[in-house]
Amino acid sequence: MPNIKLHNTKSRHKEDFTPLDSKNVRMYVCGPTVYDRAHLGNARAVVVFDTLFRLLRECYGADHVTYARNFTDIDDKINARAAATERDIFQITEETIGWYLADMASLVALEPTIMPRATDYIVQMIAITENLIARGHAYATEGHVLFDVNSYSNYGALSGRSIDDMIAGARVEVAPYKRDPMDFVLWKPSDAQTPGWKSPWGRGRPGWHIECSAMVHEHFGDSFDIHGGGNDLMFPHHENEIAQSSCAHPEGSFAQFWLHNEMLQVEGKKMSKSIGNFFTVRDLLDQNIPGEVIRFVLLSTHYGKPMDWTQKKADEAETTLRKWHELVKNAVPGALDAFVLDHVSNDLNTPGALARMHELAKAGAADALLSAGQFLGLLGPDLDWWQPKKANSEATARIKTLLEARRQAKADRDYAKADTVRAQLAAAGIEIVDKPGGLSEAVITNSFNPDLLG
Ligand code: AMP
Ligand code: ZN
């Protein structure tokens, strides 16, 4: 087995990874708040931790790794979306979860072993909150329950900040009912229009951070192996998770390793919904960029570095993948190449693994290239986007009819109609090449979609 090394945010060093129990390796990753399509930044986090999941399965066996990624299905952003669209909250979260799973599957991300939804853990969140009050780490006031940050001396240790830095750097909500502006909400009251649950503090809903502490504890207990997420979550979300879980379960040590992926950027700025400079995975797929190409681009930058999405990178990835697919089309996947495994084991050095795959391709080592690709979620057997597109007999007949309609329109000097037919064919990914003698030929391009033939 290779020696897995991971950069642990807790120590700020690359450390040897040894699980607490090699028969039960446990990884938790903060998942999406579900009210809108996943953007490419969200996808970066998914592909990073999918790669780690694949590595752990390779090393410890698929049955000995549990990967949990939650859905935040109660949140004020979801409530706001429901109010703005006059839709039911449950309808919005269900629909968004469906989109999310489909979009991440197009990026060849494996589904996590468990995908808990926050609203299924309200009872556990109330129990932790009561526990924290009983231990003197939280207080109830005016229908709210707040975590008392001054009761936990390690607060700020993960992100390495002092409380003063945190106050200066964060948008801390100052409220009259808080003992300290840094105290954060565990529970808050809901009015009649807002979703709420019965609790010892009246009808209300949980704060954001408590859900992950509750879900982790329910599935993994007091101590587990890896906690992941984007580095935008390090503070306050992860700092607050640690404070809650460590104070509620002081006998445990919560996550042994913390991994944070750097942000996906657009022109140097974090891609984010609140800034509005984001595009969704669906947008890219709709532009006929195959999911495998998006995945390749995401893998080509180390997760610890910021990355920019560019069309040039997508074009180069597509050219490479087309070559590789051609090369492996008759290959039989063999044992996983040791260099590829070593690169990925070395703090997920995916650019190194891709460079090694380029070498394998150059050397014509098709079997090794194929197994390396499949390990990284590339070159899979059902990824056929790179093959020349063909029309079936029904589509062929329809294309002939349209070509004939265009020929007739031109003969009738109805050029507007001829142009409409050409546009219709173009929309379905068919180019018309006019030949001498009034003949036309239909050329099927890579973006061919027979459903759009009308
Ligand atoms: P959210 O739905 O914004 O809470 O984010 C879900 C996951 O995506 C979290 O792990 C975030 O850290 C991650 N994430 C959000 N924005 C980006 C980004 N621009 N680049 C990389 N990861 C991100
Ligand atoms: Zn979380």
Side-chain angles (χ1 to χ4, degrees):
M1 192 188 298
N3 179 14
I4 299 182
K5 286 182 187 295
L6 298 172
H7 181 272
N8 191 349
T9 308
K10 236 168 144 173
S11 65
R12 288 172 188 73
H13 286 293
K14 205 149 67 166
E15 294 176 25
D16 288 336
F17 172 74
T18 323
L20 295 171
D21 173 1
S22 61
K23 295 270 175 267
N24 180 23
V25 184
R26 289 155 288 172
M27 170 164 82
Y28 182 92
V29 174
C30 295
T33 306
V34 281
Y35 63 102
D36 212 345
R37 289 262 184 200
H39 61 66
L40 194 62
N42 302 136
R44 182 176 197 198
V46 168
V47 169
V48 165
F49 291 103
D50 178 57
T51 307
L52 180 51
F53 184 37
R54 287 166 183 268
L55 174 68
L56 296 171
R57 286 160 61 100
E58 177 73 23
C59 295
Y60 297 98
D63 294 343
H64 300 300
V65 182
T66 305
Y67 171 19
R69 186 185 63 212
N70 69 304
F71 285 116
T72 299
D73 62 350
I74 167 80
D75 184 275
D76 289 346
K77 285 183 283 232
I78 306 175
N79 301 340
R81 178 61 58 96
T85 55
E86 296 185 359
R87 291 182 70 199
D88 181 65
I89 286 176
F90 185 69
Q91 251 183 9
I92 293 180
T93 55
E94 276 297 297
E95 176 183 72
T96 312
I97 288 172
W99 287 341
Y100 186 83
L101 294 176
D103 292 348
M104 296 310 126
S106 355
L107 302 180
V108 205
L110 303 173
E111 272 193 4
T113 329
I114 42 178
M115 295 187 277
R117 300 183 188 194
T119 51
D120 291 333
Y121 296 81
I122 300 288
V123 171
Q124 290 87 336
M125 292 190 229
I126 292 174
I128 298 189
T129 305
E130 287 185 302
N131 176 351
L132 289 170
I133 294 175
R135 290 174 188 263
H137 290 293
Y139 54 97
T141 165
E142 296 180 31
H144 291 72
V145 182
L146 293 144
F147 186 93
D148 174 3
V149 293
N150 291 303
S151 74
Y152 178 57
S153 59
N154 269 338
Y155 193 69
L158 178 76
S159 49
R161 305 185 198 203
S162 69
I163 291 196
D164 286 346
D165 277 357
M166 290 186 275
I167 293 179
R171 273 173 291 153
V172 177
E173 194 191 349
V174 183
Y177 48 79
K178 285 187 179 181
R179 286 185 196 160
D180 184 300
M182 291 303 291
D183 290 352
F184 59 87
V185 171
L186 301 172
W187 190 265
K188 56 188 171 185
S190 290
D191 61 21
Q193 286 74 46
T194 315
W197 289 262
K198 265 210 292 214
S199 85
W201 317 286
R203 185 174 172 279
R205 60 195 191 284
W208 168 32
H209 318 294
I210 192 74
E211 70 178 71
C212 291
S213 288
M215 291 184 270
V216 165
H217 191 257
E218 181 73 13
H219 291 285
F220 291 165
D222 296 343
S223 310
F224 64 107
D225 299 299
I226 299 171
H227 193 312
N231 66 359
D232 57 329
L233 300 185
M234 210 183 294
F235 178 80
H237 183 54
H238 290 162
E239 207 72 74
N240 293 355
E241 272 188 45
I242 295 177
Q244 295 158 167
S245 294
S246 308
C247 292
H249 310 290
E251 53 298 347
S253 49
F254 204 52
Q256 312 309 297
F257 276 74
W258 281 87
L259 255 78
H260 289 99
N261 63 276
E262 254 291 351
M263 293 292 99
L264 183 95
Q265 304 187 333
V266 180
E267 284 159 34
K269 288 211 178 86
K270 171 190 167 189
M271 171 184 266
S272 109
K273 275 183 195 147
S274 48
I275 304 179
N277 63 347
F278 74 98
F279 40 90
T280 66
V281 173
R282 191 70 248 168
D283 291 335
L284 294 178
L285 295 169
D286 285 346
Q287 290 164 32
N288 281 311
I289 303 179
E292 189 187 5
V293 170
I294 301 172
R295 184 180 179 93
F296 188 108
V297 173
L298 293 173
L299 290 173
S300 62
T301 300
H302 187 260
Y303 77 88
K305 295 204 174 103
M307 81 166 277
D308 256 319
W309 169 269
T310 64
Q311 185 61 43
K312 183 164 171 270
K313 286 184 188 170
D315 292 343
E316 285 169 4
E318 179 168 343
T319 307
T320 300
L321 284 169
R322 281 183 186 282
K323 266 193 232 150
W324 289 2
H325 271 288
E326 188 61 38
L327 196 64
V328 303
K329 69 181 176 199
N330 298 316
V332 183
L336 179 55
D337 179 74
F339 290 96
V340 168
L341 184 57
D342 276 352
H343 281 305
V344 180
S345 303
N346 181 11
D347 196 28
L348 307 182
N349 180 6
T350 49
L354 293 177
R356 171 66 182 163
M357 287 175 71
H358 276 289
E359 286 174 15
L360 293 172
K362 228 186 205 166
D367 293 354
L369 181 64
L370 180 58
S371 47
Q374 292 187 351
F375 172 56
L376 289 172
L378 305 170
L379 307 178
D382 42 296
L383 300 170
D384 61 356
W385 58 268
W386 61 281
Q387 280 176 329
K389 292 268 167 69
K390 290 194 193 93
N392 63 17
S393 54
E394 196 189 329
T396 308
R398 178 78 189 129
I399 294 166
K400 268 197 183 146
T401 308
L402 287 168
L403 282 181
E404 172 53 23
R406 179 165 171 270
R407 192 200 58 76
Q408 189 61 51
K410 277 174 44 177
D412 298 344
R413 297 179 179 273
D414 185 352
Y415 297 114
K417 168 135 196 236
D419 284 349
T420 309
V421 177
R422 177 192 276 276
Q424 190 180 353
L425 284 161
I430 291 174
E431 276 167 25
I432 298 179
V433 181
D434 289 323
K435 295 269 160 90
L439 287 174
S440 304
E441 193 187 329
V443 178
I444 297 174
T445 71
N446 282 321
S447 53
F448 176 54
N449 180 353
D451 298 340
L452 300 179
L453 277 171

